[in-house]
PDB file of all heavy atoms in Angstrom:
ATOM      1  N   THR R  40     112.886  93.340 103.927  1.00  0.00           N
ATOM      2  CA  THR R  40     113.000  94.822 103.660  1.00  0.00           C
ATOM      3  C   THR R  40     113.152  95.503 104.937  1.00  0.00           C
ATOM      4  O   THR R  40     113.182  95.010 106.038  1.00  0.00           O
ATOM      5  CB  THR R  40     111.715  95.306 102.906  1.00  0.00           C
ATOM      6  OG1 THR R  40     112.015  96.576 102.389  1.00  0.00           O
ATOM      7  CG2 THR R  40     110.523  95.286 103.788  1.00  0.00           C
ATOM      8  N   TRP R  44     114.948 101.530 103.781  1.00  0.00           N
ATOM      9  CA  TRP R  44     114.923 101.367 102.289  1.00  0.00           C
ATOM     10  C   TRP R  44     113.724 101.899 101.667  1.00  0.00           C
ATOM     11  O   TRP R  44     113.751 102.569 100.682  1.00  0.00           O
ATOM     12  CB  TRP R  44     115.158  99.851 101.951  1.00  0.00           C
ATOM     13  CG  TRP R  44     115.413  99.666 100.434  1.00  0.00           C
ATOM     14  CD1 TRP R  44     116.587  99.612  99.804  1.00  0.00           C
ATOM     15  CD2 TRP R  44     114.458  99.621  99.373  1.00  0.00           C
ATOM     16  NE1 TRP R  44     116.552  99.526  98.564  1.00  0.00           N
ATOM     17  CE2 TRP R  44     115.201  99.591  98.145  1.00  0.00           C
ATOM     18  CE3 TRP R  44     113.059  99.679  99.292  1.00  0.00           C
ATOM     19  CZ2 TRP R  44     114.539  99.447  96.894  1.00  0.00           C
ATOM     20  CZ3 TRP R  44     112.532  99.573  98.046  1.00  0.00           C
ATOM     21  CH2 TRP R  44     113.214  99.504  96.872  1.00  0.00           C
ATOM     22  N   ARG R  48     113.741 105.101  99.185  1.00  0.00           N
ATOM     23  CA  ARG R  48     113.627 104.942  97.711  1.00  0.00           C
ATOM     24  C   ARG R  48     112.238 105.377  97.227  1.00  0.00           C
ATOM     25  O   ARG R  48     112.126 105.493  95.986  1.00  0.00           O
ATOM     26  CB  ARG R  48     113.795 103.445  97.444  1.00  0.00           C
ATOM     27  CG  ARG R  48     115.156 102.850  97.774  1.00  0.00           C
ATOM     28  CD  ARG R  48     116.227 103.470  96.867  1.00  0.00           C
ATOM     29  NE  ARG R  48     117.509 102.882  97.200  1.00  0.00           N
ATOM     30  CZ  ARG R  48     118.262 102.237  96.397  1.00  0.00           C
ATOM     31  NH1 ARG R  48     117.869 101.929  95.222  1.00  0.00           N
ATOM     32  NH2 ARG R  48     119.413 101.714  96.741  1.00  0.00           N
ATOM     33  N   THR R  49     111.300 105.467  98.115  1.00  0.00           N
ATOM     34  CA  THR R  49     109.908 105.660  97.636  1.00  0.00           C
ATOM     35  C   THR R  49     109.129 106.805  98.352  1.00  0.00           C
ATOM     36  O   THR R  49     108.183 107.268  97.909  1.00  0.00           O
ATOM     37  CB  THR R  49     109.059 104.398  97.791  1.00  0.00           C
ATOM     38  OG1 THR R  49     108.781 104.221  99.243  1.00  0.00           O
ATOM     39  CG2 THR R  49     109.665 103.249  97.189  1.00  0.00           C
ATOM     40  N   CYS R 124      97.053 102.633  86.457  1.00  0.00           N
ATOM     41  CA  CYS R 124      97.281 103.813  87.298  1.00  0.00           C
ATOM     42  C   CYS R 124      96.738 105.089  86.676  1.00  0.00           C
ATOM     43  O   CYS R 124      96.415 106.156  87.348  1.00  0.00           O
ATOM     44  CB  CYS R 124      98.691 103.990  87.671  1.00  0.00           C
ATOM     45  SG  CYS R 124      99.372 102.595  88.618  1.00  0.00           S
ATOM     46  N   ARG R 163     109.925  91.447  96.988  1.00  0.00           N
ATOM     47  CA  ARG R 163     110.063  92.681  97.842  1.00  0.00           C
ATOM     48  C   ARG R 163     110.128  93.875  96.923  1.00  0.00           C
ATOM     49  O   ARG R 163     109.958  95.049  97.379  1.00  0.00           O
ATOM     50  CB  ARG R 163     111.258  92.539  98.731  1.00  0.00           C
ATOM     51  CG  ARG R 163     112.618  92.483  98.034  1.00  0.00           C
ATOM     52  CD  ARG R 163     113.749  92.562  98.983  1.00  0.00           C
ATOM     53  NE  ARG R 163     115.042  92.583  98.296  1.00  0.00           N
ATOM     54  CZ  ARG R 163     116.218  92.789  98.876  1.00  0.00           C
ATOM     55  NH1 ARG R 163     116.278  92.913 100.151  1.00  0.00           N
ATOM     56  NH2 ARG R 163     117.292  92.843  98.165  1.00  0.00           N
ATOM     57  N   GLY R 164     110.487  93.742  95.665  1.00  0.00           N
ATOM     58  CA  GLY R 164     110.666  94.832  94.695  1.00  0.00           C
ATOM     59  C   GLY R 164     109.331  95.421  94.352  1.00  0.00           C
ATOM     60  O   GLY R 164     109.257  96.561  93.847  1.00  0.00           O
ATOM     61  N   VAL R 167     106.113  96.063  98.470  1.00  0.00           N
ATOM     62  CA  VAL R 167     106.068  97.163  99.510  1.00  0.00           C
ATOM     63  C   VAL R 167     105.525  98.436  98.972  1.00  0.00           C
ATOM     64  O   VAL R 167     105.343  99.445  99.640  1.00  0.00           O
ATOM     65  CB  VAL R 167     107.513  97.387  99.953  1.00  0.00           C
ATOM     66  CG1 VAL R 167     108.132  96.105 100.540  1.00  0.00           C
ATOM     67  CG2 VAL R 167     108.400  97.859  98.977  1.00  0.00           C
ATOM     68  N   LEU R 168     105.202  98.454  97.586  1.00  0.00           N
ATOM     69  CA  LEU R 168     105.016  99.686  96.972  1.00  0.00           C
ATOM     70  C   LEU R 168     103.518 100.104  96.921  1.00  0.00           C
ATOM     71  O   LEU R 168     103.148 101.235  96.631  1.00  0.00           O
ATOM     72  CB  LEU R 168     105.518  99.744  95.520  1.00  0.00           C
ATOM     73  CG  LEU R 168     107.006  99.347  95.301  1.00  0.00           C
ATOM     74  CD1 LEU R 168     107.366  99.186  93.847  1.00  0.00           C
ATOM     75  CD2 LEU R 168     107.894 100.397  95.955  1.00  0.00           C
ATOM     76  N   LEU R 202     105.461  96.619  83.097  1.00  0.00           N
ATOM     77  CA  LEU R 202     104.494  96.697  84.169  1.00  0.00           C
ATOM     78  C   LEU R 202     103.225  95.923  83.750  1.00  0.00           C
ATOM     79  O   LEU R 202     102.476  96.452  82.886  1.00  0.00           O
ATOM     80  CB  LEU R 202     104.286  98.109  84.559  1.00  0.00           C
ATOM     81  CG  LEU R 202     103.239  98.471  85.634  1.00  0.00           C
ATOM     82  CD1 LEU R 202     103.517  97.664  86.886  1.00  0.00           C
ATOM     83  CD2 LEU R 202     103.180  99.957  85.919  1.00  0.00           C
ATOM     84  N   GLY R 221     110.939  98.168  87.873  1.00  0.00           N
ATOM     85  CA  GLY R 221     110.670  99.405  88.452  1.00  0.00           C
ATOM     86  C   GLY R 221     111.625 100.561  87.911  1.00  0.00           C
ATOM     87  O   GLY R 221     111.164 101.681  87.709  1.00  0.00           O
ATOM     88  N   ARG R 222     112.904 100.269  87.743  1.00  0.00           N
ATOM     89  CA  ARG R 222     113.814 101.339  87.331  1.00  0.00           C
ATOM     90  C   ARG R 222     113.463 101.898  85.997  1.00  0.00           C
ATOM     91  O   ARG R 222     113.511 103.109  85.741  1.00  0.00           O
ATOM     92  CB  ARG R 222     115.262 100.739  87.348  1.00  0.00           C
ATOM     93  CG  ARG R 222     116.243 101.882  87.445  1.00  0.00           C
ATOM     94  CD  ARG R 222     117.688 101.322  87.597  1.00  0.00           C
ATOM     95  NE  ARG R 222     117.927 100.727  88.926  1.00  0.00           N
ATOM     96  CZ  ARG R 222     119.135 100.279  89.261  1.00  0.00           C
ATOM     97  NH1 ARG R 222     120.130 100.276  88.422  1.00  0.00           N
ATOM     98  NH2 ARG R 222     119.394  99.889  90.531  1.00  0.00           N
ATOM     99  N   VAL R 224     110.439 101.795  84.571  1.00  0.00           N
ATOM    100  CA  VAL R 224     109.155 102.505  84.665  1.00  0.00           C
ATOM    101  C   VAL R 224     109.432 103.895  85.255  1.00  0.00           C
ATOM    102  O   VAL R 224     108.852 104.813  84.696  1.00  0.00           O
ATOM    103  CB  VAL R 224     108.166 101.798  85.649  1.00  0.00           C
ATOM    104  CG1 VAL R 224     106.901 102.501  85.819  1.00  0.00           C
ATOM    105  CG2 VAL R 224     107.824 100.364  85.005  1.00  0.00           C
ATOM    106  N   PHE R 225     110.243 103.995  86.167  1.00  0.00           N
ATOM    107  CA  PHE R 225     110.594 105.213  86.791  1.00  0.00           C
ATOM    108  C   PHE R 225     111.121 106.219  85.741  1.00  0.00           C
ATOM    109  O   PHE R 225     110.624 107.390  85.736  1.00  0.00           O
ATOM    110  CB  PHE R 225     111.725 105.019  87.836  1.00  0.00           C
ATOM    111  CG  PHE R 225     112.111 106.205  88.676  1.00  0.00           C
ATOM    112  CD1 PHE R 225     111.777 106.143  90.084  1.00  0.00           C
ATOM    113  CD2 PHE R 225     112.658 107.282  88.218  1.00  0.00           C
ATOM    114  CE1 PHE R 225     112.079 107.279  90.829  1.00  0.00           C
ATOM    115  CE2 PHE R 225     112.939 108.417  89.013  1.00  0.00           C
ATOM    116  CZ  PHE R 225     112.626 108.368  90.313  1.00  0.00           C
ATOM    117  N   HIS R 256      99.554 111.219  90.308  1.00  0.00           N
ATOM    118  CA  HIS R 256      99.557 109.803  90.772  1.00  0.00           C
ATOM    119  C   HIS R 256     100.612 109.551  91.794  1.00  0.00           C
ATOM    120  O   HIS R 256     101.790 110.006  91.591  1.00  0.00           O
ATOM    121  CB  HIS R 256      99.758 108.915  89.520  1.00  0.00           C
ATOM    122  CG  HIS R 256      99.893 107.492  89.854  1.00  0.00           C
ATOM    123  ND1 HIS R 256      99.070 106.764  90.674  1.00  0.00           N
ATOM    124  CD2 HIS R 256     100.890 106.561  89.458  1.00  0.00           C
ATOM    125  CE1 HIS R 256      99.486 105.549  90.803  1.00  0.00           C
ATOM    126  NE2 HIS R 256     100.557 105.375  90.037  1.00  0.00           N
ATOM    127  N   ALA R 258     103.035 107.287  93.043  1.00  0.00           N
ATOM    128  CA  ALA R 258     103.808 106.070  92.952  1.00  0.00           C
ATOM    129  C   ALA R 258     105.007 106.040  93.758  1.00  0.00           C
ATOM    130  O   ALA R 258     105.400 105.094  94.377  1.00  0.00           O
ATOM    131  CB  ALA R 258     104.077 105.818  91.523  1.00  0.00           C
ATOM    132  N   ASN R 259     105.738 107.229  93.766  1.00  0.00           N
ATOM    133  CA  ASN R 259     107.020 107.336  94.354  1.00  0.00           C
ATOM    134  C   ASN R 259     107.317 108.753  94.596  1.00  0.00           C
ATOM    135  O   ASN R 259     107.304 109.585  93.663  1.00  0.00           O
ATOM    136  CB  ASN R 259     108.103 106.675  93.419  1.00  0.00           C
ATOM    137  CG  ASN R 259     109.458 106.560  94.020  1.00  0.00           C
ATOM    138  OD1 ASN R 259     109.839 107.518  94.750  1.00  0.00           O
ATOM    139  ND2 ASN R 259     110.188 105.532  93.781  1.00  0.00           N
ATOM    140  N   ARG R 261     110.002 110.275  94.846  1.00  0.00           N
ATOM    141  CA  ARG R 261     111.176 110.695  94.000  1.00  0.00           C
ATOM    142  C   ARG R 261     110.680 111.019  92.570  1.00  0.00           C
ATOM    143  O   ARG R 261     111.228 111.900  91.896  1.00  0.00           O
ATOM    144  CB  ARG R 261     112.245 109.547  93.906  1.00  0.00           C
ATOM    145  CG  ARG R 261     113.051 109.464  95.243  1.00  0.00           C
ATOM    146  CD  ARG R 261     114.281 108.655  95.152  1.00  0.00           C
ATOM    147  NE  ARG R 261     113.927 107.238  94.828  1.00  0.00           N
ATOM    148  CZ  ARG R 261     114.506 106.490  93.890  1.00  0.00           C
ATOM    149  NH1 ARG R 261     115.509 106.935  93.220  1.00  0.00           N
ATOM    150  NH2 ARG R 261     114.160 105.258  93.693  1.00  0.00           N
ATOM    151  N   ILE R 262     109.597 110.324  92.155  1.00  0.00           N
ATOM    152  CA  ILE R 262     109.088 110.657  90.784  1.00  0.00           C
ATOM    153  C   ILE R 262     108.472 112.034  90.816  1.00  0.00           C
ATOM    154  O   ILE R 262     108.587 112.858  89.896  1.00  0.00           O
ATOM    155  CB  ILE R 262     108.027 109.609  90.290  1.00  0.00           C
ATOM    156  CG1 ILE R 262     108.757 108.268  90.063  1.00  0.00           C
ATOM    157  CG2 ILE R 262     107.300 110.073  89.026  1.00  0.00           C
ATOM    158  CD1 ILE R 262     107.805 107.124  89.580  1.00  0.00           C
ATOM    159  N   ASN R 286     101.181 103.321  96.680  1.00  0.00           N
ATOM    160  CA  ASN R 286     100.589 103.522  95.390  1.00  0.00           C
ATOM    161  C   ASN R 286      99.214 102.701  95.240  1.00  0.00           C
ATOM    162  O   ASN R 286      99.225 101.429  95.353  1.00  0.00           O
ATOM    163  CB  ASN R 286     101.651 102.913  94.335  1.00  0.00           C
ATOM    164  CG  ASN R 286     101.158 102.961  92.922  1.00  0.00           C
ATOM    165  OD1 ASN R 286      99.952 103.271  92.606  1.00  0.00           O
ATOM    166  ND2 ASN R 286     102.076 102.716  91.990  1.00  0.00           N
ATOM    167  N   MET R 316     100.446 108.067  85.359  1.00  0.00           N
ATOM    168  CA  MET R 316     101.155 107.167  84.346  1.00  0.00           C
ATOM    169  C   MET R 316     101.149 105.806  85.009  1.00  0.00           C
ATOM    170  O   MET R 316     101.365 105.572  86.139  1.00  0.00           O
ATOM    171  CB  MET R 316     102.481 107.730  84.234  1.00  0.00           C
ATOM    172  CG  MET R 316     103.680 106.752  84.114  1.00  0.00           C
ATOM    173  SD  MET R 316     104.114 106.698  82.404  1.00  0.00           S
ATOM    174  CE  MET R 316     105.175 105.219  82.455  1.00  0.00           C
TER     175      MET R 316
HETATM  176  O1  UT7 J   6     102.198 103.074  89.315  1.00  0.00           O
HETATM  177  C1  UT7 J   6     102.776 102.786  88.130  1.00  0.00           C
HETATM  178  C2  UT7 J   6     104.070 103.455  88.099  1.00  0.00           C
HETATM  179  N1  UT7 J   6     105.048 102.789  88.935  1.00  0.00           N
HETATM  180  C3  UT7 J   6     106.119 103.441  89.226  1.00  0.00           C
HETATM  181  O2  UT7 J   6     106.255 104.546  88.925  1.00  0.00           O
HETATM  182  C4  UT7 J   6     107.268 102.736  89.970  1.00  0.00           C
HETATM  183  C5  UT7 J   6     108.532 103.265  89.435  1.00  0.00           C
HETATM  184  N2  UT7 J   6     109.784 102.710  90.037  1.00  0.00           N
HETATM  185  C6  UT7 J   6     110.203 102.909  91.314  1.00  0.00           C
HETATM  186  O3  UT7 J   6     109.431 103.563  92.067  1.00  0.00           O
HETATM  187  C7  UT7 J   6     111.518 102.526  91.743  1.00  0.00           C
HETATM  188  O4  UT7 J   6     112.252 101.965  90.656  1.00  0.00           O
HETATM  189  C8  UT7 J   6     111.486 101.345  92.861  1.00  0.00           C
HETATM  190  C9  UT7 J   6     110.951 101.893  94.123  1.00  0.00           C
HETATM  191  C10 UT7 J   6     110.514 100.231  92.393  1.00  0.00           C
HETATM  192  C11 UT7 J   6     112.834 100.685  93.005  1.00  0.00           C
HETATM  193  O5  UT7 J   6     113.744 101.714  93.345  1.00  0.00           O
HETATM  194  P1  UT7 J   6     115.212 101.684  92.654  1.00  0.00           P
HETATM  195  O6  UT7 J   6     115.944 102.767  93.268  1.00  0.00           O
HETATM  196  O7  UT7 J   6     114.962 101.752  91.158  1.00  0.00           O
HETATM  197  O8  UT7 J   6     115.776 100.291  93.178  1.00  0.00           O
HETATM  198  P2  UT7 J   6     116.221  99.103  92.333  1.00  0.00           P
HETATM  199  O9  UT7 J   6     114.900  98.262  91.820  1.00  0.00           O
HETATM  200  O10 UT7 J   6     117.156  99.374  91.274  1.00  0.00           O
HETATM  201  O11 UT7 J   6     116.813  98.139  93.425  1.00  0.00           O
HETATM  202  C12 UT7 J   6     117.994  98.632  94.146  1.00  0.00           C
HETATM  203  C13 UT7 J   6     118.441  97.616  95.279  1.00  0.00           C
HETATM  204  C14 UT7 J   6     118.524  96.165  94.692  1.00  0.00           C
HETATM  205  O12 UT7 J   6     119.638  95.555  95.354  1.00  0.00           O
HETATM  206  P3  UT7 J   6     120.994  95.431  94.612  1.00  0.00           P
HETATM  207  O13 UT7 J   6     120.741  94.617  93.388  1.00  0.00           O
HETATM  208  O14 UT7 J   6     121.432  96.889  94.280  1.00  0.00           O
HETATM  209  O15 UT7 J   6     121.797  94.750  95.651  1.00  0.00           O
HETATM  210  C15 UT7 J   6     117.207  95.481  95.096  1.00  0.00           C
HETATM  211  O16 UT7 J   6     117.387  94.097  95.311  1.00  0.00           O
HETATM  212  O17 UT7 J   6     117.340  97.488  96.277  1.00  0.00           O
HETATM  213  C16 UT7 J   6     117.044  96.228  96.476  1.00  0.00           C
HETATM  214  N3  UT7 J   6     115.567  96.106  96.837  1.00  0.00           N
HETATM  215  C17 UT7 J   6     115.087  96.215  98.205  1.00  0.00           C
HETATM  216  N4  UT7 J   6     115.804  96.274  99.348  1.00  0.00           N
HETATM  217  C18 UT7 J   6     115.089  96.389 100.357  1.00  0.00           C
HETATM  218  C19 UT7 J   6     114.442  96.138  96.042  1.00  0.00           C
HETATM  219  N5  UT7 J   6     113.397  96.072  96.748  1.00  0.00           N
HETATM  220  C20 UT7 J   6     113.743  96.233  98.047  1.00  0.00           C
HETATM  221  C21 UT7 J   6     113.028  96.304  99.204  1.00  0.00           C
HETATM  222  N6  UT7 J   6     113.723  96.333 100.400  1.00  0.00           N
HETATM  223  N7  UT7 J   6     111.654  96.275  99.279  1.00  0.00           N
END
Side-chain angles (χ1 to χ4, degrees):
T40 191
W44 189 94
R48 300 293 178 117
T49 71
C124 300
R163 68 176 184 170
V167 304
L168 305 174
L202 176 52
R222 202 174 282 185
V224 176
F225 189 112
H256 172 49
N259 185 324
R261 289 191 295 136
I262 295 181
N286 182 346
M316 141 102 189

